[in-house]
Amino acid sequence: SKIKQEAFLLFPDHREAPIQWFDSLKLKWLDAGYDAGDFSLLAQPGEYAVFQTGIWAIRKDLKNIRVIFSDLKSKSGKQIRSGEVTCFNTGGINYEGNPFGQKVNVPSGALQALWMGIRIPEAANGEYSGQMTIQASVAAKTGTLQTVS
């Protein structure tokens, strides 16, 4: 089975459906065929859109999780720079305006919500698509991140 071969699975989800249990998976994730690494986000121009990705450490501890974003590009060549997307769990800007980073580890068998945000430019129009890679000490996974405004 697919799960036996994986170090972890990803479950992107909307902010309106926050992960509340860290020891079990949502039924809708299981119905979607487990690993749903691709994610489409509806957002308005000028919005700071927030979403989450659940990461389930199947059998091994996941250490030093990092989230890397590519630029998101439209078919017309417009882009949302990767610097406009962040994972709040792994870093950002603190209340004093200084950048910070922090380590994220997930013990074997646990589920962790990774909260992310993307600043949608005022001039954004249409679909933008890019890559989101989640790296852990034992593996990495890349999925498509798409915004529609």
Side-chain angles (χ1 to χ4, degrees):
S1 102
K2 179 179 181 176
I3 291 180
K4 289 182 180 179
Q5 301 168 11
E6 302 289 343
F8 62 88
L9 296 179
L10 301 175
F11 303 98
D13 214 336
H14 298 276
R15 65 180 168 223
E16 294 85 6
I19 295 171
Q20 297 175 337
W21 300 284
F22 299 100
D23 60 353
S24 59
L25 304 178
K26 292 182 180 183
L27 184 58
K28 74 176 186 176
W29 294 341
L30 300 174
D31 288 343
Y34 295 106
D35 202 10
D38 297 337
F39 187 61
S40 184
L41 177 68
L42 295 175
Q44 298 298 313
E47 179 179 357
Y48 192 86
V50 176
F51 63 100
Q52 65 182 327
T53 295
I55 182 170
W56 177 36
I58 298 174
R59 273 177 219 74
K60 297 181 180 179
D61 292 347
L62 303 178
K63 297 184 186 292
N64 302 320
I65 293 171
R66 293 182 38 200
V67 183
I68 302 163
F69 301 96
S70 72
D71 292 340
L72 282 74
K73 298 178 182 176
S74 71
K75 290 182 180 176
S76 67
K78 294 181 181 177
Q79 69 177 2
I80 300 173
R81 293 182 312 106
S82 62
E84 298 296 327
V85 191
T86 191
C87 176
F88 305 120
N89 301 69
T90 60
I93 305 295
N94 68 16
Y95 69 95
E96 294 176 328
N98 298 316
F100 75 95
Q102 59 188 23
K103 288 186 179 182
V104 175
N105 301 315
V106 182
S108 177
L111 176 67
Q112 170 70 48
L114 299 174
W115 282 96
M116 304 178 208
I118 180 170
R119 185 175 313 283
I120 308 297
E122 290 284 344
N125 187 8
E127 296 180 11
Y128 291 77
S129 186
Q131 300 293 310
M132 174 178 72
T133 300
I134 298 181
Q135 295 179 336
S137 53
V138 296
K141 288 182 173 265
T142 298
T144 300
L145 174 59
Q146 180 181 42
T147 66
V148 180
S149 57

